[in-house]
Amino acid sequence: MTDALLTPNQPVRDDHYAPVWQRSIDDPEGFWLETAELIDWHRKPTRAVEMRSDTEWRWFPDGELNTCYNAVDRHVEAGNGDRTAIIYDSAMTGTQSRISYAELQEHVARFAGVLRNAGVGVGDRVLIYLPMIPEAIISMLACARIGAIHSVVFGGFASSELAVRLNDAEPKVIVTTNGGLEPNRVVEYLPIIEKALARSSDSVETVIVAERSRIPGSAADYQGGPVRYLDWKEAECAAEPVAPVPVPANHPAYILYTSGTTGNPKGIVRDTGGHAVALTRSMSKIYGIGAGDVFWTASDVGWVVGHSYIVYAPLLAGATTLIYEGKPVGTPDSGAFFRVIEQYGVKVLFTAPTAVRAIRREDPELEGANRHDISSLEALFLAGERTDPETYHWLNDGLHCPVIDHWWQTETGWAICVNPRGIELLPSKPGSTSVPCPGVDLRILDAAGNDVTEPGVEGNIALKLPLPPGYLLTVWGDPERFSRSYLEAFPGYYATGDSGYVDEDGFVYVMGRTDDVINVAGHRLSTGALEEVLAMHDAVAEAAVVGVADALKGSRAYGIVTLKHGFEVEDAVLEKELVALVREHIGPVAAFRDVAVVARLPKTRSGKILRKTIRQILDGEKYQVPPTIEDITVLDDLLALAPQPDVVPATGMFTVPIRTVAQN
Ligand code: COA
Ligand code: AMP
């Protein structure tokens, strides 16, 4: 970090980034206790952070609150019950509707009663498997209202992924629907639920089904089994509204599973108090959004971006959130986003670079934006994957408002680095995610853990402990995995699993993962999990999966397999079966299409698969061959798959400046 941005001893001004950031680091107690005033507490905290040990901390340890009260009731009590809380726009069904804060309070209180009737109490888990419909928000808030812990699973995951999450979280209740709508098909949820239940432990007692018209399947079709199926509407009629239940600030708000390097996803646990405080602050200080503004996050409630910025943060801030069921292109065309911005007066849009690339591919002149009046739009935020400078320039030049790339993870729940337009809009630098958020002490560490935070030096991006409020508390049911995955590599720091560097102005450039996690269309996938699925096939001896460059999705998974000795199967047949296997076990979201059979996988003499070399070859890059390679001729098969015939091996040692952090 250089002095240019982070000058100490400046008078603290809240319209300048540098002094605000500096104060958050020098005086976290004062900074965060003041920020805690943004929300209503049942019992006000007297302390901001408590360090229980070098690796364990808690935010607002003696505070008590209810997040649902803060996101809903307090706005109604303040006389803003008529204000729109949720706009629902489904490009799939043509439905457009609004829910006021008063109506939301009624729905949420009643659905909390439904959960209560199903035996859900403080600390019980509820798994939510819903598409982009208002019931997703209502059920999440209803959990928060009664201190239940929700775990939302993205609709694009298959039943086995759902089963893994059921087994880990052990929910009492599942909240779901009969169907989701994808452009070319109906995704029937209930058969997926049934299959997952058959593979999981028997914690689930009740499945509540929000039925959508004209979609097959209903709760009634599943009566008589060991699990009770209830129709949402009928259950609601039978329930009494329930008041918010205050919980300790450290009570888990939710579990959200994310890919690690193995097939077992990690259940990221978020706290209640730190989460509510940090998200409320972020609306004004990061996004520049206040009460009554329309804020649209075009993502999915199944991802962290959706949790924080479709559901909690906009409502905590009293703003209007927009839940959009549709795609950036094809529903019906690449003007869809601009239609929505115009129609609802969206002030800030938050989406993923892949969505922008999809629009650009269909509408390179950005005519969709010109066809609509998008003058309400003040800023467009991007996250989920690196925004390449080309995409950035195309969008920034084509829109009249700033385009802001910001970096975060499921683990952090809100931004790590951003251009904080709510404090001060700094000059933008394409390719950079701007500067660390207040509360984030970011360092670049070398493989040995030495602090090498000097302009231009690339290394592991690590965050000094304690992490800011709202970042992960632990891994569900496995605190040791939390330590192993994030805290042990660099004592005193959280290892982000990303590499990057800082420039002379303190701007951060995030360059990619240091582990075997890949990012497909902003969705995080574990190559290890994909390899495990490929290895399930009878014919497959070994499998390696790498993320190769993709013009639309940023990267996509590419599988390389070898066959068991004596096994005869046509390559084309096997490839088709493997693609189907991944779809069945991980889900369509993996978008897995590329797989090739080779005679042998390139390995070091100690048997380590050379994934980096494989990826470089498949990407047509100059590749580096480690001196420890077992047999260089093995690369011939891969070279035949490479897009460029003239790939020339780089000479010299295979050096990896970045330490691979085992984010297992
Ligand atoms: N339920 C069921 N299936 C789903 C799904 C859901 N909620 N979401 C996606 N899928 C399916 C799609 O139908 C598709 O299936 P197919 O193979 O049968 O066509 C598959 O998963 C891959 O989907 P997707 O990655 O969305 O690719 P796409 O080609 O359909 O669309 C984009 C491409 C760019 C439009 C799309 O990836 C997109 O909008 N991305 C935004 C990413 C995002 O919001 N990320 C969140 C992090 S901020
Ligand atoms: P997820 O947990 O699914 O949100 O994925 C988090 C990962 O996505 C990060 O660790 C990064 O590798 C990547 N990522 C997210 N946002 C950005 C960004 N703005 N720039 C670069 N990488 C990003």
Side-chain angles (χ1 to χ4, degrees):
M1 213 65 28
T2 65
D3 290 345
L5 279 172
L6 311 177
T7 319
N9 307 323
Q10 243 173 274
V12 175
R13 294 183 49 178
D14 66 4
D15 57 351
H16 278 60
Y17 162 74
V20 172
W21 179 86
Q22 193 65 54
R23 177 166 178 236
S24 75
I25 301 302
D26 293 346
D27 175 23
E29 273 295 308
F31 183 90
W32 289 111
L33 268 185
E34 246 170 53
T35 309
E37 299 283 339
L38 291 174
I39 63 166
D40 285 3
W41 295 85
H42 184 71
R43 181 140 66 95
K44 258 195 182 177
T46 58
R47 281 169 301 157
V49 63
E50 174 188 56
M51 284 307 290
R52 293 186 173 174
S53 72
D54 286 350
T55 55
E56 204 189 337
W57 59 92
R58 292 293 179 263
W59 284 98
F60 312 114
D62 56 351
E64 275 183 24
L65 73 158
N66 183 280
T67 297
C68 179
Y69 173 81
N70 276 280
V72 183
D73 303 63
R74 72 163 167 161
H75 305 310
V76 179
E77 287 172 14
N80 296 315
D82 290 342
R83 185 185 290 159
T84 302
I86 301 174
I87 295 170
Y88 170 47
D89 186 297
S90 172
M92 313 304 294
T93 62
T95 310
Q96 296 175 351
S97 59
R98 287 173 185 263
I99 299 174
S100 69
Y101 271 97
E103 289 163 341
L104 183 61
Q105 184 186 37
E106 166 67 24
H107 284 301
V108 170
R110 211 166 268 285
F111 195 68
V114 172
L115 294 176
R116 271 270 175 85
N117 287 349
V120 177
V122 176
D124 287 333
R125 273 80 62 213
V126 173
L127 187 137
I128 298 173
Y129 189 56
L130 282 170
M132 289 288 285
I133 55 177
E135 284 84 347
I137 300 184
I138 292 167
S139 50
M140 289 165 80
L141 290 171
C143 289
R145 196 168 188 86
I146 57 170
I149 304 169
H150 62 67
S151 186
V152 183
V153 179
F154 176 62
F157 282 122
S159 60
S160 2
E161 288 289 319
L162 195 53
V164 169
R165 287 155 174 78
L166 286 173
N167 278 328
D168 197 68
E170 298 185 304
K172 257 190 185 167
V173 167
I174 298 179
V175 183
T176 190
T177 175
N178 48 343
L181 298 167
E182 283 297 294
N184 303 317
R185 69 201 154 93
V186 173
V187 183
E188 288 188 45
Y189 277 42
L190 296 178
I192 299 174
I193 297 278
E194 280 284 285
K195 260 173 119 176
L197 285 172
R199 287 176 190 204
S200 60
S201 65
D202 51 7
S203 69
V204 178
E205 295 163 8
T206 309
V207 176
I208 301 167
V209 185
E211 285 178 20
R212 307 183 74 186
S213 55
R214 294 194 293 277
I215 294 183
S218 72
D221 301 338
Y222 292 85
Q223 302 306 339
V227 175
R228 184 170 60 134
Y229 278 75
L230 296 180
D231 171 67
W232 173 301
K233 284 212 180 88
E234 284 171 17
E236 230 182 20
C237 289
E240 290 298 319
V242 169
V245 176
V247 293
N250 290 302
H251 181 68
Y254 68 78
I255 310 167
L256 179 58
Y257 288 87
T258 190
S259 300
T261 48
T262 67
N264 265 351
K266 285 180 284 206
I268 300 303
V269 179
R270 190 88 54 220
D271 69 348
T272 300
H275 177 235
V277 170
L279 290 192
T280 307
R281 177 185 182 281
S282 73
M283 288 310 287
S284 59
K285 300 296 182 191
I286 291 182
Y287 300 99
I289 285 285
D293 289 336
V294 181
F295 183 77
W296 177 25
T297 298
S299 177
D300 190 287
V301 285
W303 306 118
V304 67
V305 168
H307 277 58
S308 297
Y309 291 108
I310 295 173
V311 185
Y312 286 108
L315 297 176
L316 282 164
T320 298
T321 189
L322 209 154
I323 184 158
Y324 170 73
E325 188 183 32
K327 304 269 175 183
V329 294
T331 57
D333 56 35
S334 54
F337 275 18
F338 306 109
R339 189 266 299 167
V340 173
I341 293 169
E342 176 180 25
Q343 190 167 340
Y344 304 111
V346 172
K347 188 167 172 184
V348 169
L349 168 63
F350 176 176
T351 189
T354 186
V356 177
R357 288 193 296 266
I359 296 171
R360 185 181 179 198
R361 197 168 66 167
E362 305 242 322
D363 179 15
E365 302 305 322
L366 209 51
E367 280 164 7
N370 298 329
R371 275 204 312 277
H372 295 277
D373 174 5
I374 57 163
S375 53
S376 64
L377 193 69
E378 290 186 4
L380 192 153
F381 283 77
L382 295 171
E385 58 182 301
R386 183 163 187 266
T387 301
D388 54 291
E390 205 185 320
T391 302
Y392 170 83
H393 282 300
W394 176 79
L395 191 61
N396 201 53
D397 296 351
L399 296 181
H400 65 275
C401 67
V403 172
I404 299 175
D405 180 15
H406 61 333
W407 169 51
W408 49 303
Q409 311 179 317
T410 304
E411 288 85 345
T412 68
W414 58 284
I416 307 169
C417 289
V418 69
N419 194 336
R421 78 177 280 263
I423 303 176
E424 173 189 12
L425 190 66
L426 302 167
S428 77
K429 297 196 184 195
S432 167
T433 60
S434 299
V435 290
C437 287
V440 173
D441 191 353
L442 181 150
R443 309 291 171 94
I444 305 296
L445 305 182
D446 70 11
N450 299 308
D451 189 337
V452 291
T453 321
E454 294 292 332
V457 178
E458 188 172 337
N460 302 279
I461 312 182
L463 312 180
K464 210 158 187 300
L465 302 181
L467 294 173
Y471 281 27
L472 80 169
L473 201 61
T474 185
V475 169
W476 179 254
D478 199 349
E480 281 181 6
R481 192 172 179 198
F482 171 57
S483 286
R484 214 169 50 238
S485 301
Y486 301 108
L487 307 182
E488 283 176 9
F490 307 116
Y493 296 89
Y494 163 82
T496 63
D498 281 305
S499 71
Y501 63 93
V502 176
D503 75 6
E504 61 287 351
D505 294 320
F507 276 58
V508 178
Y509 293 73
V510 181
M511 303 311 290
R513 299 285 307 184
T514 60
D515 54 15
D516 295 328
V517 166
I518 59 172
N519 206 311
V520 178
H523 312 317
R524 192 158 136 187
L525 297 174
S526 152
T527 54
L530 290 161
E531 287 169 5
E532 280 175 29
V533 173
L534 297 181
M536 284 177 187
H537 194 286
D538 285 345
V540 171
E542 276 189 301
V545 174
V546 295
V548 297
D550 185 276
L552 176 66
K553 300 194 175 193
S555 60
R556 65 179 197 281
Y558 199 130
I560 304 290
V561 298
T562 62
L563 298 190
K564 284 182 186 151
H565 190 64
F567 213 103
E568 293 208 0
V569 54
E570 266 181 51
D571 284 4
V573 172
L574 178 65
E575 286 163 19
K576 229 170 137 189
E577 287 173 4
L578 291 174
V579 167
L581 206 61
V582 170
R583 197 176 171 95
E584 184 194 333
H585 285 275
I586 306 262
V589 66
F592 184 73
R593 314 229 190 290
D594 301 281
V595 57
V597 183
V598 294
R600 284 159 66 199
L601 294 178
K603 291 184 183 174
T604 61
R605 281 192 284 279
S606 61
K608 191 170 174 296
I609 298 172
L610 294 168
R611 289 187 178 76
K612 181 169 178 180
T613 312
I614 298 175
R615 186 199 62 71
Q616 287 173 324
I617 291 176
L618 294 175
D619 269 340
E621 284 177 12
K622 274 194 172 176
Y623 62 93
Q624 292 175 308
V625 184
T628 52
I629 192 165
E630 190 184 28
D631 177 359
I632 197 160
T633 63
V634 171
L635 297 182
D636 292 347
D637 272 6
L638 284 172
L639 286 166
L641 300 169
Q644 310 275 339
D646 57 343
V647 197
V648 183
T651 51
M653 283 284 291
F654 181 71
T655 50
V656 188
I658 310 301
R659 166 147 160 209
T660 301
V661 175
Q663 294 225 331
N664 51 2

